[in-house]
Amino acid sequence: LVHCPSEQLAVADIEEAKQRFMRAFDDPESPEHDIVAFNAGAAIYVAGVAGSLAEGINKARAALASGAAKKKLKELMAFAA
């Protein structure tokens, strides 16, 4: 995970927030990707699916890289619509 100043993450409105969030699924070099990987990795670890936070983050990164995370997000968005 790369350090990112909070100012770099600020958004002006909901549309920009949505665009930035979706960037996490398409740009592995973005700070948004790291934030999503960290949060998902923590959830994976707390759920007992990984033996450590680092392993959880690695599993989250694998899901992002394979496209599985984006596919699941689209399923959830369709369900909620």
Side-chain angles (χ1 to χ4, degrees):
L1 301 174
V2 178
H3 178 267
C4 174
S6 60
E7 297 81 24
Q8 188 176 345
L9 300 173
V11 296
D13 55 36
I14 191 72
E15 281 304 313
E16 184 181 3
K18 179 182 172 185
Q19 291 171 355
R20 299 278 299 271
F21 177 71
M22 294 307 293
R23 185 183 321 171
F25 297 89
D26 298 321
D27 182 2
E29 302 301 319
S30 71
E32 294 86 2
H33 180 87
D34 279 351
I35 291 168
V36 169
F38 181 83
N39 283 310
I44 291 167
Y45 171 59
V46 169
V49 179
S52 68
L53 178 57
E55 182 184 350
I57 292 170
N58 287 336
K59 286 180 179 285
R61 283 187 168 156
L64 286 162
S66 72
K70 189 172 186 177
K71 180 181 177 195
K72 185 56 70 177
L73 175 63
K74 287 184 177 186
E75 290 172 8
L76 290 170
M77 290 169 67
F79 177 76

Coordinates of all heavy atoms in Angstrom, one line a residue:
L1 N 0.8 -1.2 0.0 CA 0.0 0.0 0.0 C 0.9 1.2 0.0 O 1.9 1.3 0.7 CB -0.9 0.0 1.2 CG -1.8 -1.2 1.4 CD1 -2.6 -1.1 2.7 CD2 -2.8 -1.3 0.3
V2 N 0.5 2.2 -0.8 CA 1.3 3.4 -0.9 C 0.6 4.6 -0.2 O -0.6 4.7 -0.2 CB 1.4 3.8 -2.4 CG1 2.1 5.1 -2.6 CG2 2.0 2.7 -3.2
H3 N 1.4 5.4 0.5 CA 0.9 6.5 1.3 C 0.3 7.5 0.3 O 0.9 7.8 -0.8 CB 2.0 7.2 2.1 CG 1.5 8.4 2.8 ND1 1.6 9.6 2.3 CD2 0.9 8.5 4.0 CE1 1.1 10.5 3.1 NE2 0.7 9.9 4.2
C4 N -0.8 8.1 0.6 CA -1.5 9.1 -0.2 C -2.0 10.2 0.7 O -2.8 9.9 1.6 CB -2.6 8.4 -1.0 SG -3.6 9.5 -1.9
P5 N -1.7 11.4 0.4 CA -2.2 12.5 1.2 C -3.7 12.6 1.0 O -4.3 12.4 -0.1 CB -1.6 13.8 0.6 CG -0.5 13.3 -0.4 CD -0.8 11.9 -0.7
S6 N -4.4 12.9 2.1 CA -5.9 13.0 2.1 C -6.4 14.0 1.0 O -7.5 13.8 0.5 CB -6.5 13.2 3.4 OG -6.0 14.5 3.9
E7 N -5.6 15.0 0.8 CA -6.1 16.0 -0.2 C -6.2 15.4 -1.6 O -7.0 15.9 -2.4 CB -5.1 17.2 -0.3 CG -4.9 18.0 1.0 CD -4.0 17.3 2.1 OE1 -3.1 16.5 1.7 OE2 -4.2 17.6 3.2
Q8 N -5.4 14.4 -1.9 CA -5.5 13.8 -3.2 C -6.8 12.9 -3.3 O -7.2 12.6 -4.4 CB -4.3 12.8 -3.3 CG -4.1 12.3 -4.7 CD -2.8 11.5 -4.9 OE1 -1.9 11.5 -4.0 NE2 -2.8 10.7 -5.9
L9 N -7.4 12.6 -2.2 CA -8.6 11.8 -2.3 C -9.9 12.6 -2.2 O -11.0 12.1 -2.4 CB -8.6 10.8 -1.1 CG -7.4 9.8 -1.1 CD1 -7.4 9.0 0.2 CD2 -7.5 8.9 -2.3
A10 N -9.8 13.9 -2.0 CA -11.0 14.8 -1.9 C -11.8 14.8 -3.2 O -11.2 14.8 -4.3 CB -10.6 16.2 -1.5
V11 N -13.1 14.8 -3.1 CA -14.0 14.9 -4.3 C -14.9 16.0 -4.1 O -15.2 16.5 -3.0 CB -14.8 13.6 -4.5 CG1 -13.8 12.4 -4.8 CG2 -15.6 13.3 -3.3
A12 N -15.4 16.5 -5.3 CA -16.3 17.7 -5.3 C -17.7 17.3 -5.1 O -18.5 18.1 -4.5 CB -16.1 18.5 -6.5
D13 N -18.1 16.1 -5.6 CA -19.5 15.8 -5.5 C -19.7 14.3 -5.7 O -18.7 13.5 -5.8 CB -20.3 16.5 -6.7 CG -19.7 16.3 -8.0 OD1 -19.2 15.1 -8.3 OD2 -19.8 17.2 -8.9
I14 N -20.9 13.8 -5.6 CA -21.2 12.4 -5.6 C -20.8 11.7 -6.9 O -20.3 10.6 -6.9 CB -22.7 12.1 -5.3 CG1 -23.0 10.6 -5.1 CG2 -23.6 12.6 -6.5 CD1 -22.4 10.2 -3.8
E15 N -20.9 12.4 -8.0 CA -20.5 11.9 -9.3 C -19.0 11.6 -9.4 O -18.5 10.6 -9.8 CB -20.9 12.7 -10.5 CG -22.4 12.6 -10.9 CD -22.8 11.1 -11.2 OE1 -22.1 10.5 -11.9 OE2 -23.8 10.7 -10.6
E16 N -18.2 12.6 -8.9 CA -16.8 12.4 -8.8 C -16.4 11.2 -7.9 O -15.5 10.4 -8.1 CB -16.1 13.7 -8.4 CG -14.5 13.5 -8.4 CD -13.8 14.7 -8.0 OE1 -14.4 15.8 -7.6 OE2 -12.5 14.7 -8.1
A17 N -17.1 11.1 -6.7 CA -16.9 10.1 -5.8 C -17.1 8.7 -6.5 O -16.4 7.8 -6.3 CB -17.8 10.2 -4.6
K18 N -18.2 8.6 -7.2 CA -18.5 7.4 -7.9 C -17.4 7.0 -8.9 O -17.0 5.9 -9.0 CB -19.9 7.5 -8.6 CG -20.3 6.3 -9.4 CD -21.6 6.5 -10.1 CE -21.9 5.4 -11.1 NZ -23.1 5.6 -11.9
Q19 N -17.0 8.0 -9.7 CA -15.9 7.8 -10.7 C -14.7 7.3 -10.0 O -14.0 6.4 -10.5 CB -15.7 9.0 -11.5 CG -16.8 9.4 -12.4 CD -16.6 10.8 -13.1 OE1 -15.7 11.5 -12.8 NE2 -17.5 11.1 -14.0
R20 N -14.3 8.0 -8.9 CA -13.1 7.6 -8.2 C -13.2 6.2 -7.6 O -12.2 5.4 -7.7 CB -12.8 8.6 -7.1 CG -12.6 10.1 -7.6 CD -11.2 10.3 -8.1 NE -10.2 10.2 -7.1 CZ -9.7 11.1 -6.3 NH1 -10.2 12.3 -6.3 NH2 -8.8 10.8 -5.4
F21 N -14.4 5.9 -7.1 CA -14.5 4.5 -6.5 C -14.4 3.5 -7.6 O -13.7 2.5 -7.5 CB -15.9 4.4 -5.9 CG -16.2 3.0 -5.4 CD1 -15.5 2.5 -4.3 CD2 -17.1 2.2 -6.0 CE1 -15.8 1.2 -3.8 CE2 -17.4 1.0 -5.5 CZ -16.7 0.5 -4.4
M22 N -15.0 3.7 -8.8 CA -14.9 2.7 -9.9 C -13.5 2.6 -10.4 O -13.1 1.6 -10.9 CB -15.9 3.1 -11.0 CG -17.4 3.0 -10.6 SD -17.8 1.4 -9.9 CE -17.7 0.4 -11.3
R23 N -12.7 3.7 -10.3 CA -11.3 3.6 -10.7 C -10.6 2.5 -10.0 O -9.6 1.9 -10.5 CB -10.6 5.0 -10.5 CG -9.2 5.0 -11.1 CD -8.5 6.2 -10.8 NE -9.3 7.4 -11.0 CZ -8.9 8.6 -10.6 NH1 -7.6 8.8 -10.1 NH2 -9.6 9.7 -10.7
A24 N -11.0 2.3 -8.8 CA -10.3 1.2 -8.0 C -10.3 -0.1 -8.6 O -9.4 -0.9 -8.5 CB -11.0 1.1 -6.6
F25 N -11.4 -0.4 -9.4 CA -11.5 -1.7 -10.1 C -10.8 -1.8 -11.4 O -10.6 -2.9 -11.9 CB -13.0 -2.0 -10.3 CG -13.7 -2.1 -9.0 CD1 -14.3 -1.0 -8.4 CD2 -13.9 -3.3 -8.4 CE1 -15.0 -1.1 -7.2 CE2 -14.5 -3.4 -7.2 CZ -15.1 -2.3 -6.6
D26 N -10.3 -0.6 -11.9 CA -9.7 -0.6 -13.3 C -8.3 -0.1 -13.3 O -7.6 -0.3 -14.2 CB -10.5 0.4 -14.2 CG -11.9 -0.1 -14.4 OD1 -12.1 -1.4 -14.5 OD2 -12.9 0.7 -14.4
D27 N -7.8 0.5 -12.2 CA -6.5 1.1 -12.2 C -5.7 0.6 -10.9 O -5.8 1.3 -9.9 CB -6.6 2.6 -12.2 CG -5.2 3.3 -12.2 OD1 -4.2 2.6 -12.3 OD2 -5.2 4.5 -12.2
P28 N -5.0 -0.4 -11.0 CA -4.3 -1.0 -9.9 C -3.2 0.0 -9.3 O -2.7 -0.3 -8.2 CB -3.6 -2.3 -10.4 CG -3.6 -2.2 -11.8 CD -4.7 -1.2 -12.2
E29 N -2.9 1.0 -10.0 CA -1.9 2.0 -9.5 C -2.5 3.1 -8.8 O -1.8 4.0 -8.3 CB -1.0 2.5 -10.7 CG -0.3 1.4 -11.5 CD 0.7 0.6 -10.7 OE1 1.4 1.2 -9.8 OE2 0.7 -0.6 -10.8
S30 N -3.8 3.2 -8.7 CA -4.5 4.3 -8.1 C -4.6 4.2 -6.6 O -4.6 3.1 -6.1 CB -5.9 4.5 -8.7 OG -6.7 3.4 -8.2
P31 N -4.6 5.3 -5.9 CA -4.8 5.2 -4.5 C -6.2 4.6 -4.1 O -6.3 4.0 -3.1 CB -4.7 6.7 -4.0 CG -4.8 7.5 -5.2 CD -4.5 6.7 -6.4
E32 N -7.2 4.8 -5.0 CA -8.5 4.2 -4.7 C -8.4 2.7 -4.7 O -9.0 2.0 -3.9 CB -9.5 4.7 -5.8 CG -9.8 6.1 -5.8 CD -8.8 7.0 -6.6 OE1 -7.9 6.4 -7.2 OE2 -9.0 8.2 -6.6
H33 N -7.6 2.1 -5.5 CA -7.3 0.7 -5.6 C -6.8 0.2 -4.2 O -7.3 -0.8 -3.7 CB -6.4 0.3 -6.7 CG -6.1 -1.1 -6.8 ND1 -6.9 -2.0 -7.6 CD2 -5.1 -1.9 -6.3 CE1 -6.4 -3.2 -7.5 NE2 -5.3 -3.2 -6.7
D34 N -5.8 0.9 -3.7 CA -5.2 0.6 -2.4 C -6.2 0.6 -1.3 O -6.3 -0.2 -0.4 CB -4.0 1.5 -2.1 CG -2.7 1.0 -2.8 OD1 -2.7 -0.1 -3.4 OD2 -1.8 1.8 -2.7
I35 N -7.1 1.7 -1.3 CA -8.1 1.8 -0.3 C -9.1 0.7 -0.3 O -9.4 0.1 0.7 CB -8.8 3.2 -0.4 CG1 -7.9 4.3 -0.1 CG2 -10.1 3.2 0.5 CD1 -8.4 5.7 -0.5
V36 N -9.6 0.3 -1.5 CA -10.5 -0.8 -1.6 C -9.8 -2.1 -1.2 O -10.4 -2.9 -0.5 CB -11.1 -0.8 -3.1 CG1 -11.9 -2.1 -3.3 CG2 -12.0 0.4 -3.3
A37 N -8.6 -2.3 -1.7 CA -7.9 -3.5 -1.3 C -7.7 -3.6 0.2 O -7.9 -4.7 0.8 CB -6.5 -3.6 -2.0
F38 N -7.3 -2.5 0.8 CA -7.1 -2.6 2.3 C -8.4 -2.8 3.0 O -8.5 -3.7 3.9 CB -6.6 -1.2 2.8 CG -6.3 -1.2 4.3 CD1 -5.2 -1.8 4.8 CD2 -7.3 -0.7 5.1 CE1 -5.0 -1.8 6.2 CE2 -7.0 -0.7 6.5 CZ -5.9 -1.2 7.0
N39 N -9.5 -2.1 2.7 CA -10.8 -2.3 3.3 C -11.3 -3.7 3.1 O -11.8 -4.4 4.0 CB -11.8 -1.3 2.9 CG -11.6 0.0 3.6 OD1 -11.4 0.1 4.8 ND2 -11.5 1.1 2.8
A40 N -11.3 -4.2 1.9 CA -11.8 -5.6 1.6 C -10.9 -6.6 2.3 O -11.4 -7.6 2.8 CB -11.8 -5.8 0.1
G41 N -9.6 -6.3 2.2 CA -8.7 -7.3 2.9 C -8.9 -7.4 4.4 O -8.8 -8.4 5.0
A42 N -9.2 -6.2 5.0 CA -9.6 -6.2 6.4 C -10.8 -7.0 6.7 O -10.9 -7.8 7.6 CB -9.7 -4.8 7.0
A43 N -11.8 -6.9 5.8 CA -13.1 -7.6 6.0 C -12.8 -9.1 5.8 O -13.4 -10.0 6.5 CB -14.1 -7.1 5.0
I44 N -12.0 -9.5 4.8 CA -11.6 -10.9 4.6 C -10.9 -11.5 5.8 O -11.2 -12.6 6.2 CB -10.8 -11.0 3.3 CG1 -11.6 -10.7 2.1 CG2 -10.2 -12.4 3.2 CD1 -10.8 -10.5 0.8
Y45 N -10.0 -10.7 6.4 CA -9.3 -11.2 7.6 C -10.3 -11.3 8.8 O -10.3 -12.4 9.4 CB -8.2 -10.2 7.9 CG -7.5 -10.4 9.2 CD1 -6.9 -11.7 9.5 CD2 -7.5 -9.5 10.2 CE1 -6.3 -11.9 10.7 CE2 -6.9 -9.7 11.4 CZ -6.3 -10.9 11.6 OH -5.7 -11.1 12.9
V46 N -11.1 -10.3 9.0 CA -12.0 -10.4 10.2 C -13.0 -11.5 10.0 O -13.4 -12.1 11.0 CB -12.7 -9.0 10.3 CG1 -13.8 -9.1 11.3 CG2 -11.7 -7.9 10.8
A47 N -13.4 -11.8 8.8 CA -14.3 -12.9 8.5 C -13.7 -14.3 8.7 O -14.4 -15.3 8.6 CB -14.9 -12.8 7.1
G48 N -12.4 -14.3 8.9 CA -11.7 -15.6 9.1 C -11.3 -16.3 7.9 O -10.9 -17.5 7.9
V49 N -11.4 -15.6 6.7 CA -11.1 -16.2 5.4 C -9.6 -16.1 5.2 O -9.0 -16.9 4.3 CB -11.9 -15.6 4.3 CG1 -11.6 -16.2 2.9 CG2 -13.4 -15.7 4.6
A50 N -8.9 -15.3 5.9 CA -7.4 -15.1 5.8 C -6.8 -15.2 7.1 O -7.4 -14.7 8.1 CB -7.1 -13.8 5.1
G51 N -5.6 -15.7 7.2 CA -4.9 -15.8 8.5 C -4.2 -14.5 9.0 O -3.8 -14.5 10.2
S52 N -4.2 -13.5 8.1 CA -3.5 -12.2 8.5 C -4.1 -11.1 7.7 O -4.7 -11.4 6.6 CB -2.0 -12.3 8.3 OG -1.7 -12.4 6.9
L53 N -3.9 -9.9 8.1 CA -4.4 -8.8 7.3 C -3.7 -8.8 6.0 O -4.3 -8.5 4.9 CB -4.1 -7.5 8.1 CG -4.5 -6.2 7.3 CD1 -6.0 -6.2 6.9 CD2 -4.2 -5.0 8.2
A54 N -2.4 -9.0 6.0 CA -1.6 -9.0 4.7 C -2.2 -10.1 3.7 O -2.4 -9.8 2.5 CB -0.2 -9.3 5.0
E55 N -2.5 -11.2 4.2 CA -3.1 -12.3 3.4 C -4.5 -11.8 2.9 O -4.8 -12.1 1.7 CB -3.3 -13.6 4.1 CG -3.8 -14.7 3.3 CD -4.1 -16.0 4.1 OE1 -3.6 -16.1 5.2 OE2 -4.7 -16.9 3.5
G56 N -5.3 -11.2 3.7 CA -6.6 -10.6 3.3 C -6.4 -9.6 2.2 O -7.2 -9.6 1.2
I57 N -5.4 -8.7 2.3 CA -5.2 -7.7 1.3 C -4.8 -8.4 0.0 O -5.2 -8.0 -1.1 CB -4.1 -6.7 1.8 CG1 -4.7 -5.9 2.9 CG2 -3.7 -5.8 0.6 CD1 -3.7 -5.0 3.6
N58 N -3.9 -9.4 0.1 CA -3.5 -10.2 -1.1 C -4.7 -10.8 -1.8 O -4.8 -10.8 -3.0 CB -2.4 -11.2 -0.8 CG -1.1 -10.5 -0.5 OD1 -0.8 -9.4 -1.0 ND2 -0.3 -11.2 0.2
K59 N -5.6 -11.4 -1.0 CA -6.8 -12.0 -1.6 C -7.7 -10.9 -2.3 O -8.2 -11.2 -3.3 CB -7.6 -12.8 -0.5 CG -7.0 -14.1 -0.1 CD -7.8 -14.7 1.0 CE -7.2 -16.0 1.4 NZ -7.4 -17.1 0.5
A60 N -7.8 -9.8 -1.6 CA -8.6 -8.7 -2.2 C -8.0 -8.2 -3.5 O -8.7 -8.0 -4.5 CB -8.7 -7.6 -1.2
R61 N -6.7 -8.1 -3.5 CA -6.0 -7.7 -4.7 C -6.2 -8.7 -5.9 O -6.3 -8.3 -7.0 CB -4.5 -7.4 -4.5 CG -4.2 -6.1 -3.8 CD -2.7 -5.9 -3.7 NE -2.5 -4.5 -3.2 CZ -1.4 -4.1 -2.6 NH1 -0.4 -5.0 -2.4 NH2 -1.3 -2.8 -2.3
A62 N -6.1 -9.9 -5.5 CA -6.4 -11.0 -6.5 C -7.8 -10.9 -7.1 O -8.0 -11.0 -8.3 CB -6.1 -12.4 -5.9
A63 N -8.8 -10.6 -6.2 CA -10.1 -10.5 -6.7 C -10.3 -9.3 -7.6 O -11.0 -9.3 -8.6 CB -11.1 -10.4 -5.5
L64 N -9.6 -8.2 -7.3 CA -9.6 -7.0 -8.1 C -8.9 -7.3 -9.4 O -9.5 -6.9 -10.5 CB -8.9 -5.8 -7.4 CG -9.7 -5.2 -6.2 CD1 -8.8 -4.4 -5.3 CD2 -10.8 -4.3 -6.7
A65 N -7.8 -7.9 -9.4 CA -7.0 -8.1 -10.6 C -7.7 -9.1 -11.6 O -7.7 -8.9 -12.8 CB -5.6 -8.7 -10.3
S66 N -8.4 -10.1 -11.0 CA -9.1 -11.1 -11.9 C -10.4 -10.5 -12.5 O -11.0 -11.2 -13.4 CB -9.4 -12.3 -11.1 OG -10.5 -12.1 -10.1
G67 N -10.9 -9.5 -11.9 CA -12.2 -8.9 -12.4 C -13.4 -9.5 -11.6 O -14.5 -9.0 -11.7
A68 N -13.1 -10.4 -10.6 CA -14.2 -11.0 -9.8 C -14.9 -10.0 -8.9 O -16.1 -10.0 -8.7 CB -13.6 -12.1 -9.0
A69 N -14.1 -9.0 -8.4 CA -14.6 -8.0 -7.5 C -15.6 -7.1 -8.3 O -16.7 -6.7 -7.8 CB -13.5 -7.2 -6.8
K70 N -15.2 -6.7 -9.5 CA -16.0 -5.8 -10.3 C -17.3 -6.5 -10.7 O -18.4 -5.9 -10.7 CB -15.2 -5.3 -11.5 CG -15.9 -4.2 -12.3 CD -15.0 -3.6 -13.4 CE -15.7 -2.5 -14.0 NZ -14.8 -1.8 -15.0
K71 N -17.1 -7.8 -11.0 CA -18.3 -8.6 -11.4 C -19.3 -8.6 -10.3 O -20.5 -8.4 -10.5 CB -17.9 -10.0 -11.9 CG -19.1 -10.8 -12.3 CD -18.6 -12.2 -12.6 CE -19.8 -13.1 -13.0 NZ -19.6 -14.5 -13.0
K72 N -18.8 -8.9 -9.1 CA -19.7 -9.0 -7.9 C -20.3 -7.6 -7.6 O -21.5 -7.5 -7.3 CB -18.9 -9.5 -6.7 CG -19.7 -9.7 -5.4 CD -20.9 -10.6 -5.7 CE -20.5 -12.1 -5.9 NZ -21.6 -13.0 -6.0
L73 N -19.6 -6.5 -7.8 CA -20.1 -5.2 -7.5 C -21.3 -4.9 -8.5 O -22.3 -4.4 -8.1 CB -19.0 -4.1 -7.7 CG -19.5 -2.7 -7.6 CD1 -20.1 -2.4 -6.3 CD2 -18.4 -1.7 -8.0
K74 N -21.1 -5.3 -9.8 CA -22.2 -5.1 -10.8 C -23.4 -5.9 -10.4 O -24.5 -5.5 -10.6 CB -21.7 -5.4 -12.2 CG -20.7 -4.4 -12.7 CD -20.3 -4.7 -14.1 CE -19.4 -3.6 -14.6 NZ -19.1 -3.7 -16.0
E75 N -23.2 -7.2 -9.9 CA -24.3 -8.0 -9.5 C -25.1 -7.3 -8.3 O -26.3 -7.3 -8.3 CB -23.9 -9.4 -9.0 CG -23.4 -10.2 -10.2 CD -22.7 -11.5 -9.7 OE1 -22.8 -11.8 -8.5 OE2 -22.1 -12.2 -10.5
L76 N -24.3 -6.8 -7.4 CA -25.0 -6.1 -6.2 C -25.7 -4.8 -6.7 O -26.8 -4.5 -6.2 CB -23.9 -5.7 -5.2 CG -23.3 -6.9 -4.4 CD1 -22.1 -6.5 -3.6 CD2 -24.4 -7.5 -3.5
M77 N -25.1 -4.1 -7.6 CA -25.8 -2.9 -8.1 C -27.1 -3.2 -8.8 O -28.1 -2.6 -8.7 CB -24.8 -2.1 -9.1 CG -23.6 -1.5 -8.3 SD -22.3 -0.9 -9.4 CE -23.2 0.5 -10.2
A78 N -27.1 -4.3 -9.6 CA -28.3 -4.8 -10.3 C -29.3 -5.2 -9.3 O -30.5 -4.9 -9.5 CB -28.0 -5.9 -11.3
F79 N -28.9 -5.9 -8.3 CA -29.9 -6.3 -7.3 C -30.5 -5.2 -6.5 O -31.7 -5.2 -6.2 CB -29.1 -7.3 -6.3 CG -30.0 -7.7 -5.1 CD1 -30.9 -8.7 -5.3 CD2 -29.9 -7.1 -3.9 CE1 -31.7 -9.2 -4.3 CE2 -30.7 -7.6 -2.8 CZ -31.6 -8.6 -3.0
A80 N -29.7 -4.1 -6.3 CA -30.2 -3.0 -5.5 C -31.0 -2.0 -6.4 O -31.8 -1.2 -5.8 CB -29.0 -2.2 -4.9
A81 N -30.9 -2.2 -7.7 CA -31.6 -1.2 -8.6 C -33.1 -1.5 -8.6 O -33.7 -2.4 -8.3 CB -31.1 -1.3 -10.0

